[in-house]
Amino acid sequence: MARVNPIDHDYFPHERRGSFTVIGSTVPRSDAHGHVTGRTQFFEDTAPRGLLHLKVHRSTRHHARINSVDVVAARQVPGVVAVLTHEDVPHNWYTVLRLIGIEPNDEPVLAEDRVLYRGEPIVAVVAETEEAAWEAAGRVTVDYTDLPAVLDVEEALAPDAPVIKQSGTNDFVYEGHHCRRVRFGDVDAGFAAADHVFSWTYGSAPIEHAPTETTGCIVVPQGDGRLRIHSNTQAAFFTLDNTALIIDRPFADLQVVGGTVGGGFGGKVDVMVEPLACIAASATNRPVQFSYSREEEMQVSSTRAAERIVITDGVRDDGSIVARKVVLYVDAGAYSRHSPYGTTKAAAHFPGPYTIPNVHIDAHCVYTNRTPSSAMRGFGVTIGDFALESQMDRIARELDMDPLELRLKNAYRDGDVKAHRKVASGTGLIEVIQRAADLVGHELTAEYRRLSSTTPRED
């Protein structure tokens, strides 16, 4: 490959030929040159005078009642400027997706009378240096009464499980139902008509995003009373609006300066640092930085949710899937964040790209005393696809059938009705599988070579 000078403007065909010429051209990322030369500006490159540092004292318990919090020793650390508790947060309870109507507000910015996971923030300390802030945070003393913890999704839904949520149930309630449901056809009749019924369980563990740049922000008070927030958020308007609601300020009082994220993958959308930094900046009238340490990023930032998926399929001898029942358990951890939305996505996606006449899905968004989970690259779909396609391979082995031909037999075609009652259009799975088979030299029989996404399915 020929070497390319990244600052040679003749290499940018979309600049030379005008707009709408990117497709078919080699176009470097707009931020590539800044990254490789070290000129890209990240939020920590902001260097306001008089910068203070904020650190938090976190829970050492999975689930406990807070009897008392003693901050006297923390205030005595040289360099400490302010100590904040939940009483300093104007609207302490929130959920990040309330902006799109997902409620109730179920998470405190700083814990009040109890903690629901190890690492939950309780007290924020603001000091002249990071070292002083860390030392003071470590001197906060919390008296706990330990409560039973639930760390498994199915145990959390058992009738005798300790209820950890104020709502009185350990799963998110969807329009009166304790799971997101999909009902299409008659799954019991489908199983009765099947030649085989296969059922397998799949599971995943929480996955940490591990971004190169940890979560953080710097808030700078402005002369007109506004607050300028330099943040590595992936969702500038989520951050602005949720922060304004939490600190009880008009939206116009805040300005979010973002756009450069040192790795996010969905892990920097939860509005975790900006509200406290804004409260501290307002209280001190000085710039404040709140950044996670690497340990905090790994321990308490949101993960991809752990999931447990049970898929039961009724299948005929020829490979036709006539019934599919899915029970999904999404481990939201202690608080909602993006998990109720991700669970809804999973429920809609779970029949997969296959036409199945009878579908029954129960998708549970479950609360446990684990670190809250949230968004991560295709959340709600990624782990489900792993389970669905593993299921297809296992069915093919049980039937001694070509796994690609099993998929071709059941693949969506234009005009098919999906389990959530949307008509499929623009489908192309059949052609993609056929082309993939060509590329790897996988032989398909003439019957499956003739299939097309635009040809109606024969009854």
Side-chain angles (χ1 to χ4, degrees):
M1 176 179 289
R3 287 175 173 252
V4 174
N5 180 354
I7 60 173
D8 181 356
H9 292 288
D10 286 339
Y11 181 60
F12 289 77
H14 59 297
E15 292 184 4
R16 287 190 290 110
R17 300 199 301 265
S19 302
F20 306 112
T21 59
V22 171
I23 295 174
S25 302
T26 300
V27 181
R29 286 176 55 112
S30 61
D31 56 5
H33 189 231
H35 287 355
V36 300
T37 61
R39 296 176 183 175
T40 298
Q41 294 291 299
F42 294 87
F43 86 90
E44 285 190 287
D45 292 315
T46 303
R49 301 175 74 175
L51 181 65
L52 299 172
H53 297 270
L54 186 152
K55 300 299 178 183
V56 299
H57 179 88
R58 298 182 178 278
S59 165
T60 59
R61 305 292 202 276
H62 291 296
H63 189 204
R65 185 176 296 108
I66 296 175
N67 300 319
S68 65
V69 178
D70 188 344
V71 299
V72 173
R75 293 187 187 277
Q76 293 173 348
V77 173
V80 168
V81 176
V83 176
L84 307 174
T85 69
H86 67 86
E87 294 178 348
D88 298 295
V89 184
H91 296 298
N92 194 42
W93 289 85
Y94 79 108
T95 186
V96 68
L97 288 183
R98 61 181 164 181
L99 300 174
I100 60 172
I102 294 180
E103 294 177 325
N105 294 329
D106 75 330
E107 181 169 6
V109 176
L110 292 173
E112 295 185 2
D113 64 335
R114 67 190 59 219
V115 290
L116 298 190
Y117 69 97
R118 184 185 293 271
E120 183 164 359
I122 302 172
V123 174
V125 177
V126 186
E128 298 283 354
T129 65
E130 282 192 273
E131 292 77 11
W134 278 123
E135 181 179 350
R139 292 194 183 186
V140 173
T141 302
V142 181
D143 180 61
Y144 299 101
T145 296
D146 288 319
L147 299 171
V150 57
L151 301 174
D152 178 83
V153 286
E154 291 185 81
E155 291 176 8
L157 299 183
D160 58 348
V163 177
I164 68 172
K165 300 295 286 184
Q166 291 181 334
S167 61
T169 177
N170 285 343
D171 47 8
F172 185 84
V173 177
Y174 294 93
E175 291 84 46
H177 301 289
H178 287 179
C179 62
R180 178 62 82 190
R181 308 187 309 166
V182 176
R183 301 290 187 266
F184 186 70
D186 185 336
V187 77
D188 290 331
F191 287 144
D195 299 308
H196 312 272
V197 176
F198 303 114
S199 186
W200 290 292
T201 300
Y202 306 88
S204 66
I207 302 172
E208 164 57 32
H209 308 76
T212 303
E213 177 196 39
T214 63
T215 300
C217 71
I218 293 174
V219 177
V220 184
Q222 303 298 292
D224 60 0
R226 300 179 74 208
L227 298 172
R228 187 172 70 238
I229 305 169
H230 297 267
S231 174
N232 58 15
T233 177
Q234 292 179 252
F237 289 100
F238 264 23
T239 295
L240 189 154
D241 292 354
N242 273 295
T243 300
L245 293 170
I246 289 168
I247 69 174
D248 196 22
R249 294 279 292 270
F251 299 135
D253 278 5
L254 307 183
Q255 177 192 9
V256 174
V257 180
T260 305
V261 181
F265 322 111
K268 292 177 178 173
V269 297
D270 287 333
V271 196
M272 301 306 299
V273 293
E274 293 85 2
L276 282 175
C278 284
I279 292 169
S282 296
T284 62
N285 198 32
R286 290 175 60 179
V288 174
Q289 177 171 347
F290 181 14
S291 302
Y292 282 0
S293 67
R294 177 56 59 187
E295 182 180 4
E296 286 179 304
E297 189 71 43
M298 297 298 291
Q299 179 189 0
V300 301
S301 68
S302 296
T303 63
R304 182 190 294 280
E307 298 183 20
R308 187 171 302 156
I309 305 163
V310 182
I311 305 178
T312 304
D313 284 336
V315 188
R316 292 191 177 129
D317 286 332
D318 66 355
S320 300
I321 302 174
V322 295
R324 170 163 285 172
K325 182 176 182 179
V326 180
V327 180
L328 164 69
Y329 304 96
V330 173
D331 191 342
Y335 298 111
S336 294
R337 299 192 186 172
H338 284 74
S339 293
Y341 169 61
T343 306
T344 294
K345 288 169 60 182
H349 184 74
F350 254 122
Y354 307 109
T355 295
I356 302 173
N358 304 288
V359 175
H360 181 289
I361 297 169
D362 285 344
H364 299 266
C365 177
V366 187
Y367 299 112
T368 65
N369 293 115
R370 298 174 69 170
T371 302
S373 60
S374 193
M376 185 180 187
R377 289 292 172 94
F379 65 106
V381 174
T382 310
I383 303 302
D385 277 338
F386 153 75
L388 288 170
E389 296 310 317
S390 297
Q391 183 86 355
M392 297 298 282
D393 285 341
R394 295 175 83 167
I395 291 171
R397 285 196 293 270
E398 291 291 330
L399 298 180
D400 194 23
M401 185 174 180
D402 184 303
L404 294 190
E405 293 185 353
L406 174 68
R407 289 169 168 85
L408 287 166
K409 175 175 285 292
N410 293 283
Y412 274 148
R413 303 186 195 183
D414 288 358
D416 287 350
V417 179
K418 301 181 181 182
H420 52 282
R421 291 172 174 77
K422 300 294 184 182
V423 177
S425 63
T427 61
L429 178 58
I430 288 175
E431 288 74 18
V432 168
I433 293 175
Q434 291 167 338
R435 180 61 177 143
D438 290 339
L439 291 172
V440 299
H442 186 100
E443 294 294 329
L444 296 174
T445 63
E447 173 190 357
Y448 291 99
R449 282 286 176 196
R450 289 193 296 267
L451 294 181
S452 166
S453 295
T454 58
T455 302
R457 187 180 303 276
E458 296 179 4
D459 293 333

